[in-house]
Each structure stands twice: as C-alpha cells, then as structure tokens.
Amino acid sequence: MKKLLFTLALALPTLYFAQDTQKDKKCDLPSNYQEPAPDKKIQSFLKKVDATIEDLRKHVAIDNDCEEKDVVFLRISEQKGNGIYELCANGKPMKYKRMGSVFMKNSENPFDVAK
C-alpha cells in the first residue's frame, strides 16, 4: 500500500506539470477576434513622430517578412513616452516595445554596443 501511494505521489505531479502550457497556443485566435483599441489621444500625439500602432504594424511586417494583415495585436499598453505591445506576426507570438518614437523587440537592449 505504501508503494502504491508513493508511486501516485510521484506520478500525479509529473503528469500535472507535463501538460501543454497556454503560451504555446497564444496565437491560435478565433476567427471573430477583435484587436484591442488603442487610446486615441495617445495615437494622435504619436502621429507627429510616426510612432502609431500602424507604424509598428509596418515595422513588424518588414522584420518578419510577412504582410501587414498577418500582424495581429494581442495587448497594447502605452503612454506618450513608451509602450509595450504583444502581438502575433505570421502565427508567431512576439513582444515589442517603444521608447519615444523608436520600436524594438522587447529582448533588445538599445544601450548594448558590444555586438
């Protein structure tokens, strides 16, 4: 009986943690998915320096060699000076950030000069 309980105590957590995670299916969007709406005041301010989400959409499409219609925003969190954008580009989840009027991947460090 002890062996059975010990085996179950080891097997159940292993099976639980071996399940698929939600990150793997982040870009499996339903056909009626609607992108989050950006703040109109912030977008009109950013239009002056070409840093709107439509400019980001063009930037991401060029980076990933896909069409602009293949870039879908999942989450938009922005202020006038910076922003974080989660999106799917051609079925691949990505994260971009904006510092001022410059867009870059979230993993990039703009101050890293040793490449």
Side-chain angles (χ1 to χ4, degrees):
M1 185 68 174
K2 283 184 181 179
K3 289 182 182 180
L4 177 65
L5 290 175
F6 183 73
T7 305
L8 284 175
L10 286 177
L12 288 178
T14 304
L15 294 174
Y16 176 75
F17 289 115
Q19 300 296 317
D20 289 337
T21 61
Q22 187 65 16
K23 276 188 171 181
D24 296 339
K25 299 181 182 194
K26 199 171 199 177
C27 284
D28 293 338
L29 302 173
S31 61
N32 60 352
Y33 177 76
Q34 292 204 356
E35 293 182 343
D39 188 353
K40 291 181 182 179
K41 287 182 182 178
I42 294 174
Q43 290 298 304
S44 65
F45 175 79
L46 293 174
K47 189 180 261 190
K48 298 173 189 173
V49 291
D50 292 332
T52 63
I53 62 167
E54 293 307 317
D55 297 318
L56 175 60
R57 190 182 307 267
K58 292 174 190 174
H59 181 85
V60 172
I62 291 170
D63 276 354
N64 293 295
D65 196 32
C66 64
E67 298 290 323
E68 289 180 33
K69 62 181 171 104
D70 296 333
V71 178
V72 178
F73 287 93
L74 301 175
R75 191 172 144 252
I76 299 172
S77 174
E78 63 182 358
Q79 299 170 348
K80 288 184 178 180
N82 57 25
I84 299 281
Y85 308 91
E86 290 181 24
L87 50 98
C88 287
N90 223 7
K92 209 167 59 170
M94 306 188 89
K95 206 172 200 181
Y96 274 77
K97 63 183 171 183
R98 177 180 52 82
M99 295 175 63
S101 63
V102 179
F103 293 112
M104 66 192 82
K105 290 183 181 174
N106 197 29
S107 60
E108 292 178 3
N109 183 1
F111 304 111
D112 187 17
V113 293
K115 282 193 176 185

